[in-house]
Amino acid sequence: MEFSEAFPVWSDLTGEQQKQLSQAAVLRSFPQGATLHRGDADCTGLLLVRSGRLRAYILSPEGREITLYRLSPPDFCLLSAPCVLHNLHLEVQIESERDTQLWMIPPENYRTLMAQSPCVANYTNEVMASRFSQVIWLLEQILWQKLDRRLADFLLEEADLEGSSHLKITHEAIGRHLGTAREAVTRMLRYFQEEGLVNLSRGAIELADPGRLAQLS
């Protein structure tokens, strides 16, 4: 995938804007588990995913993680550049869930492009609205939904992302995604196994009955 294919509104830019943007964007690679961004004091730049997957998450004062959303090709990450968007203060961490290759666009170049191009400014606002909708939905799940429903929803989402009902993931990792204790995840997974919804093995979970999980979620 080339940058011109991945950037969402490339065809709406002028030839000069395309040239400036393609020259500014830097292609970088990160291994699985690398931290790309650490909170709103860090203005990393805009990230356009070429391959792999990123995870955006927040940390509680006690160090507990909760996943806000994931980014796959050709998703565009704005929260890695809070200095581009005025009055945006979110302590979001971003890491690579897999070996990842992405284009990094310097904040100053993107600010200039937004000022020159209404289509880029509109697209930026649309992405931000979509991300905040995801965050609000997540908060509603945490506040109002029981763990069994949230866990069922996560397992189905993970199976969809991996393209397989056999998930190589630990209970601790699920706890980090859901913002809950590993012990609570283990108890719920054991209950799911007793109900015939999943089969558990060391470091892996097999979705035995995705249909019933979908009804639960």
Side-chain angles (χ1 to χ4, degrees), residues 188-212:
M188 190 59 66
L189 284 171
R190 286 174 178 168
Y191 169 73
F192 280 5
Q193 182 168 244
E194 291 170 0
E195 293 295 309
L197 301 175
V198 302
N199 294 318
L200 304 179
S201 58
R202 187 175 182 83
I205 301 168
E206 180 76 30
L207 273 58
D209 196 336
R212 287 176 60 203

Side-chain angles (χ1 to χ4, degrees), residues 5 8-9 17 22-23 26 28-29 42 50 68 70 72 76 84 87 93 96 98 118-119 126 134 147 153 157 196 209:
E5 299 172 307
V9 289
Q17 289 169 342
S22 60
Q23 289 177 344
V26 178
R28 296 191 59 185
S29 298
D42 181 12
R50 187 185 191 193
L68 298 178
R70 274 107 145 235
S72 301
F76 198 53
V84 171
N87 301 318
Q93 318 284 318
S96 52
R98 296 177 175 174
C119 67
E126 289 173 4
Q134 289 177 278
L147 179 58
D153 187 65
E157 179 188 12
D209 196 336

Side-chain angles (χ1 to χ4, degrees), residues 18-193:
Q18 290 176 347
K19 179 181 177 181
Q20 292 175 359
L21 184 58
S22 60
Q23 289 177 344
V26 178
L27 185 62
R28 296 191 59 185
S29 298
F30 296 89
Q32 181 178 351
T35 299
L36 283 67
H37 178 73
R38 300 178 184 273
D40 68 354
D42 181 12
C43 198
T44 305
L46 290 299
L47 308 179
L48 180 57
V49 183
R50 187 185 191 193
S51 63
R53 189 164 71 214
L54 302 180
R55 178 174 79 107
Y57 65 97
I58 54 175
L59 280 169
S60 73
E62 297 77 25
R64 180 173 293 177
E65 299 177 9
I66 184 166
T67 299
L68 298 178
Y69 51 82
R70 274 107 145 235
L71 299 165
S72 301
D75 285 338
F76 198 53
C77 184
L78 296 171
L79 295 184
S80 54
C83 59
V84 171
L85 304 167
H86 299 298
N87 301 318
L88 177 64
H89 303 288
L90 284 176
E91 290 296 327
V92 175
Q93 318 284 318
I94 298 171
E95 70 171 13
S96 52
E97 271 200 322
R98 296 177 175 174
D99 291 346
T100 299
Q101 193 173 58
L102 54 81
W103 287 281
M104 188 173 289
I105 305 171
E108 58 274 14
N109 294 88
Y110 198 78
R111 273 197 299 263
T112 300
L113 187 61
M114 284 180 62
Q116 294 175 346
S117 173
C119 67
V120 172
N122 290 337
Y123 173 73
T124 303
N125 291 332
E126 289 173 4
V127 172
M128 286 305 304
S130 175
R131 297 287 178 249
F132 277 113
S133 293
Q134 289 177 278
V135 172
I136 294 300
W137 178 86
L138 176 64
L139 291 176
E140 290 175 344
Q141 300 302 303
I142 295 171
L143 290 172
W144 311 121
Q145 297 294 340
K146 295 180 180 179
L147 179 58
D148 57 349
R149 293 187 176 185
R150 293 177 58 213
L151 179 56
D153 187 65
F154 173 80
L155 293 175
L156 292 169
E157 179 188 12
E158 191 73 7
D160 184 59
L161 286 171
E162 298 296 336
S164 172
S165 61
H166 184 76
L167 308 178
K168 294 182 178 180
I169 188 168
T170 65
H171 300 185
E172 183 177 358
I174 295 174
R176 288 199 302 270
H177 281 294
L178 299 181
T180 192
R182 176 186 60 80
E183 294 79 8
V185 171
T186 297
R187 285 194 298 269
M188 190 59 66
L189 284 171
R190 286 174 178 168
Y191 169 73
F192 280 5
Q193 182 168 244

